[in-house]
Amino acid sequence: MSEEKSLNFIEEIIEKDLAEGKHETITTRFPPEPNGYLHIGHAKSICLNFGLAIKYGGSTNLRFDDTNPVTEETEYVESIKEDIKWLGFNWANEFYASDYFEQLYQFAVKLINKGLAYVDDSTSEEIAQQKGSPTIPGVRNKFADRTIDENLQLFTEMRNGKYADGKKVLRAKVDMSSPNMHMRDPILYRIKHAHHHRTGDKWCIYPMYDFAHGQSDSIEKITHSICTLEFIPHRELYNWLIEKLEIFPSHQYEFARLNVTYTVMSKRKLLQLVNEKHVTGWDDPRMPTICGMRRRGYGAAALRDFCDKIGIAKRENLIDIGLLEFCVREELNKIALRRMVVFNPLKITITNFDKDVEFVSIEDNPEDENTTHRQVPFSKEIYIEQDDFMEVPPKKYFRLFPGGKVRLKGAYIIQCDEVVKDNAGNVVELKCTYFPESKSGNDTSGIQVKGTLHWVSIAHAVNAEVRMYDRLFKVENVAEAERDFKDYINPNSLEIINKVYAEPALAKDSFDQRFQFLRKGYFCLDKDSTTDKLIFNRTVTLKDTWAKEVKKVN
RNA sequence: UGGCCUAUAGUAUAAUGGUAGUACGACAGAUUUUGGUUCUGUUUGUCUUGGUUCGAAUCCAGGUAGGCCAACCA
């Protein structure tokens, strides 16, 4: 029996619209501007728009809002499509606002003919000045009095390239004293003699967001046009234009954008991180971009689950990055292959082990009832982690210490007999004995131990590089911190361990596999790996209650 | 000295005039050949002041706090 999940406010609106017969089905759209890579905030919007259409049997268009040729590039178009597909969604149609340039132009002509738009020769400074302020009404200038014919001719000349950038704009004639600044005769078209990534040099006038977005929605018969809160003031203009143009009445709804602790979400800041080399690129595993998270090893299902868990509302929010990590772990725990890798080796010689090698069988994933097993070589000389031995153990320490016993995962119980030190007094080796009757799976020794350690046979170890990532910023709320965001960059967000020691099975595994390095965390192969050099990214750590315990004492 | 949006545990999010619930976190315990996983339990909340009502997180009014709006960006 599963409880009915409550609806968010947009689902309520949709169910009401459907119930009242306002629409037979719904159509949504995801409208990125191709001027950057998608990030986790876009993932929230993608999951919402596509998820709604799936839930209510409608469809979703992918529409590139490419009305500003100077910032947009084909490279971004391709990455956006790849990321959406990877997230697991399919768009009904791939559209571009630039597909509608001719139609949009005709809409503008229609407004001019209705006496609702005029060509203004003022400079941008003059226009800003005449606009007034939220508390001071704006004033209309003489250009607003031009005749329809004059406006028609001027607008045609603008299109034909007669004027230089900035010399003229087309404005809607709305209300210069509106308390909503967006209604004070907003600019509809501006002149830009720039090359567009799709239309080339065909156009030298380009519609503004407000004269492209709602009209594109309408052309595509989008029923629910969902955007973020900062577009609320645009809605009045959105509706005004649809009404005056007498076109399909799409409706705009707004929800709160996603913010996540210890990271930034604005394209401007992300671009800066890339350009100024604070990260290696858009797909740096520390980036909140979808491609960065993908490279880091986050699963698409985990991202979708996260978007589902954070909910949709109109309240400003700051989501704990821990929730994302929880979703990532939850997915990985079910699918990751368990492997043993020693990062910081301490040699152990098992003095009473006389065979060259013994293969022990260890399950690939204990969470899976039908798990496969692998054969792991065990020998006289092995490595364990330096952390897993202490000469003077604190209370509740389950690991190795002089005279103490632990189990080696999947193999035998050993006892530490002797500590070997170098001249400086550092522990360099442990001499241990093993209990032959304690073999994993048929232990008849009766010995109880608290700790189980991961280990690797020295002679059989495979080397690899490991890249461990931490949060990119040192403060929770980067956007609200008083200084420039770059002052808060975490200098230790990347730690590279050049040489770790892995069990041999890891050398045979591949890029689409996910691993849990036992007691270490989840890892995946990085694209920088070559045939003779394995490089792993730490996707996320395991929960570590012992580390927390140690921290509490100190 | 304008308009608009918002306010529920630490963080998010539900309850649509009728028992304030869920997830993450935190804490405690059980299980465990990963100090992982799993399981159990505990903890903490309706911004404020009035009003309407048998009954208010919900409706109304005032206040307070936070956010957004004056790009030829989207």
Side-chain angles (χ1 to χ4, degrees):
Chain A
M1 176 187 114
S2 73
E3 209 149 300
E4 183 89 358
K5 200 177 173 255
S6 55
L7 305 177
N8 64 49
F9 77 98
I10 296 176
E11 290 170 327
E12 283 181 5
I13 290 167
I14 291 174
E15 295 204 355
K16 186 163 174 281
D17 288 348
L18 257 17
E20 291 174 353
K22 184 170 169 187
H23 309 289
E24 279 181 16
T25 179
I26 65 163
T27 308
T28 60
R29 105 267 91 116
F30 175 64
E33 182 187 11
N35 68 347
Y37 283 70
L38 260 26
H39 54 61
I40 183 75
H42 293 108
K44 178 180 182 182
S45 174
I46 291 168
C47 290
L48 210 214
N49 279 294
F50 284 89
L52 250 16
I54 292 168
K55 178 168 182 177
Y56 295 105
S59 60
T60 305
N61 291 338
L62 169 59
R63 182 172 71 235
F64 290 98
D65 228 333
D66 55 350
T67 57
N68 186 358
V70 302
T71 59
E72 297 154 6
E73 291 171 31
T74 307
E75 171 198 352
Y76 297 126
V77 170
E78 295 310 316
S79 75
I80 287 167
K81 285 158 67 173
E82 182 186 356
D83 288 346
I84 299 170
K85 276 186 252 174
W86 177 77
L87 270 176
F89 296 105
N90 302 302
W91 48 91
N93 301 287
E94 177 182 333
F95 289 140
Y96 294 79
S98 56
D99 293 339
Y100 310 133
F101 280 172
E102 182 60 40
Q103 208 167 342
L104 263 14
Y105 179 85
Q106 296 304 333
F107 283 155
V109 169
K110 180 170 184 175
L111 276 190
I112 293 172
N113 277 317
K114 283 183 140 190
L116 293 173
Y118 60 96
V119 172
D120 191 330
D121 302 358
S122 308
T123 63
S124 59
E125 293 75 23
E126 286 164 344
I127 290 177
Q129 216 257 326
Q130 291 158 2
K131 231 171 196 179
S133 78
T135 51
I136 302 165
V139 288
R140 210 165 251 163
N141 62 40
K142 60 179 181 184
F143 300 112
D145 299 326
R146 294 216 251 231
T147 64
I148 289 174
D149 287 341
E150 196 181 352
N151 282 316
L152 249 17
Q153 188 191 337
L154 257 13
F155 190 49
T156 306
E157 290 172 354
M158 281 170 64
R159 174 181 183 163
N160 293 339
K162 183 166 177 186
Y163 306 107
D165 290 11
K167 290 301 180 196
K168 285 182 166 47
V169 291
L170 181 74
R171 290 229 252 171
K173 194 183 270 187
V174 191
D175 178 4
M176 286 302 282
S177 58
S178 170
N180 182 348
M181 297 300 290
H182 292 271
M183 299 301 275
R184 322 249 266 222
D185 288 12
I187 292 171
L188 267 20
Y189 268 90
R190 77 286 213 189
I191 300 170
K192 271 182 198 275
H193 290 270
H195 189 84
H196 187 279
H197 71 108
R198 294 189 78 245
T199 59
D201 299 316
K202 184 176 176 194
W203 293 87
C204 63
I205 56 170
Y206 291 92
M208 297 288 289
Y209 166 85
D210 286 306
F211 199 66
H213 201 104
Q215 289 56 49
S216 303
D217 284 342
S218 192
I219 289 167
E220 295 174 22
K221 295 198 164 43
I222 301 299
T223 55
H224 301 264
S225 178
I226 302 163
C227 60
T228 46
L229 257 23
E230 63 271 26
F231 289 96
I232 288 176
H234 294 255
R235 191 174 62 223
E236 192 178 355
L237 178 57
Y238 182 105
N239 292 336
W240 187 89
L241 285 166
I242 281 177
E243 184 199 322
K244 302 303 177 195
L245 257 12
E246 302 166 77
I247 53 181
F248 181 85
S250 297
H251 283 270
Q252 175 183 305
Y253 303 92
E254 310 87 7
F255 70 99
R257 69 182 327 135
L258 170 66
N259 297 291
V260 178
T261 55
Y262 298 104
T263 192
V264 293
M265 212 64 90
S266 94
K267 271 188 196 169
R268 198 197 96 239
K269 288 176 182 163
L270 294 175
L271 183 64
Q272 215 173 329
L273 291 173
V274 173
N275 287 344
E276 296 173 15
K277 312 272 186 217
H278 295 106
V279 295
T280 58
W282 286 101
D283 70 344
D284 186 297
R286 292 165 292 182
M287 290 281 274
T289 50
I290 294 178
C291 56
M293 291 180 170
R294 176 167 64 233
R295 180 171 174 188
R296 180 154 170 174
Y298 287 19
L303 259 47
R304 276 185 259 119
D305 184 39
F306 172 72
C307 290
D308 189 51
K309 281 189 159 68
I310 58 179
I312 299 294
K314 301 183 81 154
R315 179 162 39 140
E316 300 289 337
N317 58 78
L318 179 62
I319 308 279
D320 189 339
I321 186 73
L323 181 61
L324 214 205
E325 294 178 341
F326 168 82
C327 296
V328 170
R329 287 193 189 99
E330 192 174 47
E331 182 188 12
L332 257 18
N333 180 47
K334 286 182 244 156
I335 61 169
L337 302 175
R338 312 295 137 122
R339 296 291 182 258
M340 295 196 290
V341 181
V342 173
F343 286 22
N344 228 330
L346 174 61
K347 182 180 175 183
I348 288 188
T349 301
I350 301 168
T351 52
N352 60 338
F353 189 83
D354 295 324
K355 285 174 274 188
D356 278 346
V357 61
E358 176 181 344
F359 284 89
V360 296
S361 176
I362 306 182
E363 74 278 2
D364 282 322
N365 185 351
E367 297 299 306
D368 178 1
E369 323 180 324
N370 306 312
T371 183
T372 48
H373 289 70
R374 67 195 189 282
Q375 303 299 310
V376 182
F378 180 75
S379 68
K380 190 182 181 76
E381 296 185 327
I382 63 168
Y383 282 140
I384 64 163
E385 297 288 347
Q386 285 181 15
D387 278 359
D388 287 338
F389 172 79
M390 279 184 100
E391 245 189 313
V392 186
K395 274 200 186 102
K396 294 198 268 183
Y397 188 77
F398 299 163
R399 287 112 98 142
L400 243 201
F401 53 88
K405 299 185 188 72
V406 292
R407 172 170 294 281
L408 296 174
K409 171 71 187 178
Y412 298 94
I413 292 173
I414 58 168
Q415 173 171 294
C416 176
D417 302 321
E418 188 188 338
V419 180
V420 183
K421 296 183 183 178
D422 64 12
N423 293 337
N426 301 309
V427 177
V428 292
E429 185 187 344
L430 266 21
K431 297 214 185 280
C432 299
T433 44
Y434 86 113
F435 299 89
E437 64 284 8
S438 69
K439 183 164 181 178
S440 192
N442 38 10
D443 182 351
T444 56
S445 70
I447 302 169
Q448 297 295 320
V449 292
K450 288 281 251 212
T452 300
L453 308 183
H454 65 280
W455 52 274
V456 55
S457 166
I458 297 175
H460 303 88
V462 172
N463 295 133
E465 175 180 308
V466 158
R467 296 175 181 173
M468 300 199 288
Y469 305 102
D470 197 358
R471 41 186 65 133
L472 240 189
F473 291 90
K474 292 182 287 188
V475 291
E476 271 204 345
N477 194 337
V478 187
E480 286 218 336
E482 61 229 23
R483 285 179 281 132
D484 182 74
F485 80 104
K486 284 179 291 178
D487 293 347
Y488 301 98
I489 292 178
N490 175 8
N492 307 312
S493 60
L494 170 62
E495 184 194 347
I496 297 177
I497 304 183
N498 290 308
K499 192 175 181 185
V500 301
Y501 301 85
E503 59 169 286
L506 215 41
K508 300 195 279 287
D509 290 318
S510 78
F511 281 97
D512 21 273
Q513 272 163 330
R514 293 289 175 272
F515 308 103
Q516 184 196 101
F517 292 178
L518 235 56
R519 306 206 298 139
K520 285 286 180 189
Y522 293 99
F523 292 79
C524 69
L525 220 39
D526 187 77
K527 67 173 191 184
D528 287 347
S529 295
T530 60
T531 38
D532 25 57
K533 184 170 190 191
L534 295 173
I535 300 174
F536 289 96
N537 292 320
R538 184 176 69 192
T539 305
V540 64
T541 58
L542 254 26
K543 261 175 74 178
D544 192 344
T545 49
W546 173 243
K548 216 188 282 179
E549 184 73 27
V550 171
K551 211 170 165 186
K552 249 190 282 175
V553 173
N554 297 334

